[in-house]
């Protein structure tokens, strides 16, 4: 029992490192200017989910459920803080958090199904571009290729590197080279 608590505490730094690395990518304007991701709260949420999926996928495949849970918890701790900083009252935060958690889990399951079924493009279009008026097929192809590359990089890493919080992301601007 004590080992479980120690393991979770050990993963706090790794989870925070993965969250911060994903947030660094989400903050890069290239995704909004060159890839057509909507620069809105929803667009940024969806882009964060896309960036966290490869790490979460590798954790689940390698039976690292404690680390996956810690990444989830870290992410939603920061969401809670952000909502409160936006002025959402104490009574409204739990409702919004519940909706965000459900949406995040839905995206993780959709990306997993798309990855295992080798059909990520419709999932990317539905999740990342749902708020876009008319998503460009070129943007969808770019982001699908980018996501595939991230998952392949994460799968190629030693699980110890993931446990240590090693980032799978290169410079986000390099994402353009993955377009087809």
């Amino acid at each position: 029992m004590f080992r479980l608590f120690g393991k979770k505490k050990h993963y706090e730094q790794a989870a925070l490192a993965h969250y911060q690395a994903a947030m660094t990518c989400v903050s890069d304007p290239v995704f909004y200017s060159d890839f057509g991701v909507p620069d809105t709260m929803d667009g940024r949420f969806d882009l964060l989910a896309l960036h966290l999926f490869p790490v979460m996928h590798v954790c689940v495949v390698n039976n690292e459920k404690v680390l996956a849970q810690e990444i989830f918890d870290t992410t939603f701790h920061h969401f809670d803080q952000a909502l409160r900083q936006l002025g959402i009252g104490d009574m409204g935060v739990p409702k919004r958090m519940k909706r965000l958690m459900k949406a995040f889990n839905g995206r993780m399951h959709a990306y997993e199904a798309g990855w295992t079924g080798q059909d990520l493009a419709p999932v990317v279009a539905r999740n990342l571009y749902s708020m876009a008026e008319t998503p460009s097929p070129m943007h969808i192809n770019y982001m699908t290729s980018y996501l595939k590359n991230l998952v392949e990089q994460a799968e190629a890493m030693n699980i110890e590197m993931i446990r240590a919080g090693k980032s799978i992301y290169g410079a986000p601007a390099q994402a353009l080279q993955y377009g087809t």
Side-chain angles (χ1 to χ4, degrees), residues 69-174:
Q69 184 64 49
E70 190 61 32
I71 293 169
F72 179 88
D73 292 348
T74 299
T75 300
F76 281 91
H77 171 75
H78 284 87
F79 284 168
D80 182 274
Q81 288 179 328
L83 289 173
R84 292 176 192 282
Q85 288 174 351
L86 288 171
I88 308 296
D90 287 340
M91 299 299 286
V93 169
K95 274 191 269 185
R96 284 187 169 85
M97 290 294 290
K98 184 177 180 179
R99 272 188 257 142
L100 287 170
M101 287 177 187
K102 187 176 178 180
F104 185 85
N105 281 329
R107 282 155 178 77
M108 292 300 109
H109 288 289
Y111 284 129
E112 187 65 41
W115 179 252
T116 56
Q118 299 298 311
D119 198 13
L120 272 175
V123 178
V124 169
R126 184 177 59 248
N127 289 327
L128 196 57
Y129 295 103
S130 65
M131 303 304 279
E133 288 180 27
T134 309
S136 159
M138 182 180 73
H139 291 150
I140 294 167
N141 287 339
Y142 278 155
M143 290 307 294
T144 300
S145 295
Y146 176 70
L147 178 57
K148 285 179 181 177
N149 183 60
L150 288 179
V151 175
E152 288 167 357
Q153 282 180 252
E155 287 181 336
M157 287 180 98
N158 180 315
I159 189 63
E160 291 301 321
M161 296 171 80
I162 300 285
R163 287 182 191 129
K166 173 103 171 76
S167 176
I168 63 166
Y169 317 106
Q174 293 174 343

Side-chain angles (χ1 to χ4, degrees), residues 12-83:
E12 284 177 4
Q13 288 184 335
L16 182 60
H18 288 300
Y19 170 78
Q20 288 173 334
M23 283 302 295
T24 298
C25 292
V26 170
S27 299
D28 192 304
V30 73
F31 291 108
Y32 311 101
S33 62
D34 296 352
F35 283 166
V37 175
D39 192 5
T40 62
M41 295 276 289
D42 288 337
R44 287 176 181 261
F45 172 83
D46 290 329
L47 190 57
L48 178 62
L50 180 138
H51 278 92
L52 288 175
F53 168 70
V55 175
M56 300 287 276
H57 165 75
V58 169
C59 287
V60 171
V61 167
N62 286 284
N63 204 28
E64 282 292 342
K65 293 177 183 165
V66 175
L67 177 55
Q69 184 64 49
E70 190 61 32
I71 293 169
F72 179 88
D73 292 348
T74 299
T75 300
F76 281 91
H77 171 75
H78 284 87
F79 284 168
D80 182 274
Q81 288 179 328
L83 289 173

